[in-house]
């Protein structure tokens, strides 16, 4: 049995491929969350706030001898292109884990004529080889293909479990993300792009503020312009006095250099852009489904 290290591609301002209302960086982080949920202590999710390609992180990564590293992506091409596959460094032979992943992808996300491909033009496979790291890059289908994207979204738990099994790890039980439940005070959220009471309560828990499922003291124009309908109306009160939760978020973003406005508790464009920068998303100031899904995915790991 290997210890799986899971690296989500893109992020830190780079959304990756974008299509059909989704962003690659957010989707592979959603998968990372579910791999973590099922993998327990046999899986380590590497820092999802980083872009491990852009910052050359692999070149400074020290892993134990039993480690296997998987870098997750989704591909982009014409809308008709389909299928997942495994990429390894050119000149290397696939190992049992690569072959197992390829077989899983052929079953779950078919469409490629070649399931394992050697590449010499990609930096991270070269960097991993130079460090002696057991590495592969996995394309989990095409985000530009609606069939692949639907399979990925609706079968994400099955894919996560089977990824783990490819490394001879027995998946543990994990609550389904579509059924928010509480266990030991931790809410497992549906990653559905709708910021309702369960998401807000979990956000408040993580930020250490009053837990009531309400974002209070907001401005009506902000609601209409920046986040309706993705923030559920019944979870918002108005008046412009600001929210304790959003003040905590603003302080966190300011400490990261991602927000320079007033700590006023208002979920306005500057705060939303800071949240999007925090998750490596396009900073369009829209608290839309992609931003909410990124928030829900991170909250499911117990962090903002």
């Amino acid at each position: 049995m290997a210890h799986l290290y899971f690296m989500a591609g893109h992020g830190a301002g780079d959304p990756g491929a974008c299509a059909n209302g989704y962003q690659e960086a957010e989707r592979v982080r959603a998968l990372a969350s579910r791999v973590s949920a099922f993998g327990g202590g046999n899986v380590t999710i590497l820092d999802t706030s980083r872009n491990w390609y852009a910052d050359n992180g692999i070149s400074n990564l020290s892993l134990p001898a039993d480690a296997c590293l998987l870098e997750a992506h989704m591909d982009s091409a014409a809308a008709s292109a389909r299928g997942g596959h495994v990429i390894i460094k050119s000149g290397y032979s696939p190992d049992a884990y690569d072959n197992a992943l390829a077989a899983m992808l052929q079953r779950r996300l078919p469409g490629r004529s070649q399931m394992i491909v050697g590449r010499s033009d990609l930096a991270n496979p070269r960097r991993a080889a130079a460090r002696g790291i057991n590495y592969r890059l996995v394309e989990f289908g095409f985000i530009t293909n609606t069939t692949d994207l639907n399979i990925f979204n609706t079968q994400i738990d099955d894919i996560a479990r089977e990824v783990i099994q490819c490394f001879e790890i027995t998946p543990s039980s994990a609550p389904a993300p579509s059924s928010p439940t509480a266990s030991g005070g931790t809410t497992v959220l549906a990653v559905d792009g709708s910021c309702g009471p369960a998401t807000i309560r979990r956000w408040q828990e993580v930020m250490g503020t009053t837990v009531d499922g309400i974002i209070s003291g907001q401005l009506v124009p902000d609601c209409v312009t920046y986040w309706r309908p993705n923030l559920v109306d019944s979870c918002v009160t108005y008046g412009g006095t600001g929210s304790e939760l959003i003040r905590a978020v603003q302080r966190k973003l300011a400490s990261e250099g991602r927000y320079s406005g007033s700590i006023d508790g208002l979920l306005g464009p500057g705060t939303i852009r800071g949240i999007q920068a925090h998750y490596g998303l396009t900073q369009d100031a829209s608290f839309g489904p992609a931003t909410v899904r990124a928030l829900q995915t991170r909250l499911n790991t117990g962090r903002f």
Side-chain angles (χ1 to χ4, degrees):
M1 179 179 68
H3 185 102
L4 175 61
Y5 285 76
F6 192 99
M7 177 185 292
H10 301 283
D14 174 9
C18 302
N20 299 306
Y22 288 87
Q23 296 180 334
E24 178 185 3
E26 182 276 324
R27 286 290 75 201
V28 295
R29 280 157 177 76
L31 179 60
S33 175
R34 301 311 293 160
V35 168
S36 176
F38 289 112
N42 295 310
V43 172
T44 298
I45 306 298
L46 296 178
D47 188 352
T48 56
S49 70
R50 296 176 61 174
N51 182 326
W52 287 84
Y53 169 79
D55 67 14
N56 193 18
I58 289 180
S59 295
N60 299 304
L61 190 62
S62 295
L63 300 181
D66 67 340
C68 288
L69 176 58
L70 185 156
E71 181 175 355
H73 286 264
M74 294 188 77
D75 216 338
S76 174
S80 60
R82 282 203 60 197
H85 71 165
V86 179
I87 297 172
I88 59 176
K89 186 179 181 299
S90 180
Y92 281 47
S93 297
D95 62 16
Y97 306 127
D98 300 323
N99 288 325
L101 286 165
M104 182 273 287
L105 292 168
Q106 180 66 61
R107 184 173 64 254
R108 287 277 173 196
L109 290 157
R112 300 270 191 170
S113 60
Q114 192 172 358
M115 297 306 301
I116 302 177
V117 178
R119 297 275 296 271
S120 60
D121 58 331
L122 298 177
N124 275 352
R126 294 198 307 267
R127 292 163 177 167
R131 301 278 299 175
I133 295 172
N134 185 316
Y135 166 97
R136 70 280 303 139
L137 187 154
V138 178
E139 299 276 10
F140 287 93
F142 284 84
I143 199 169
T144 44
N145 181 274
T146 55
T147 299
D148 276 5
L149 182 60
N150 183 62
I151 291 170
F152 184 95
N153 289 341
T154 61
Q155 300 180 28
I156 192 168
D157 273 12
D158 294 325
I159 293 168
R161 277 190 292 260
E162 291 185 5
V163 165
I164 293 165
Q165 290 170 327
C166 288
F167 293 89
E168 301 176 345
I169 298 168
T170 301
S172 60
S173 299
S178 58
S179 302
T181 59
S183 176
T186 300
T187 301
V188 177
L189 300 170
V191 182
D192 59 8
S194 175
C195 192
T199 297
I200 295 168
R201 281 194 290 268
R202 181 57 181 149
W203 201 1
Q204 291 168 327
E205 290 172 358
V206 168
M207 300 306 297
T209 64
T210 301
V211 179
D212 60 7
I214 300 292
I215 297 180
S216 59
Q218 298 303 295
L219 297 174
V220 173
D222 284 351
C223 169
V224 173
T225 305
Y226 301 111
W227 35 260
R228 180 173 281 172
N230 305 295
L231 183 54
V232 175
D233 284 345
S234 62
C235 298
V236 186
T237 62
Y238 300 96
T241 55
S243 160
E244 179 187 2
L245 167 64
I246 302 305
R247 287 190 183 92
V249 169
Q250 289 168 333
R251 286 191 289 269
K252 169 67 172 172
L253 296 172
S255 73
E256 300 172 347
R258 295 188 168 104
Y259 177 73
S260 58
S262 300
I263 308 299
D264 56 12
L266 300 177
L267 188 59
T271 304
I272 296 169
R273 288 191 186 96
I275 292 169
Q276 291 170 328
H278 180 70
Y279 293 128
L281 303 175
T282 300
Q283 296 170 44
D284 61 3
S286 171
F287 197 64
T291 301
V292 176
R293 284 193 294 266
L295 171 65
Q296 292 167 328
T297 298
R298 184 66 63 83
L299 293 176
N300 277 338
T301 72
R303 299 180 296 138
F304 166 63

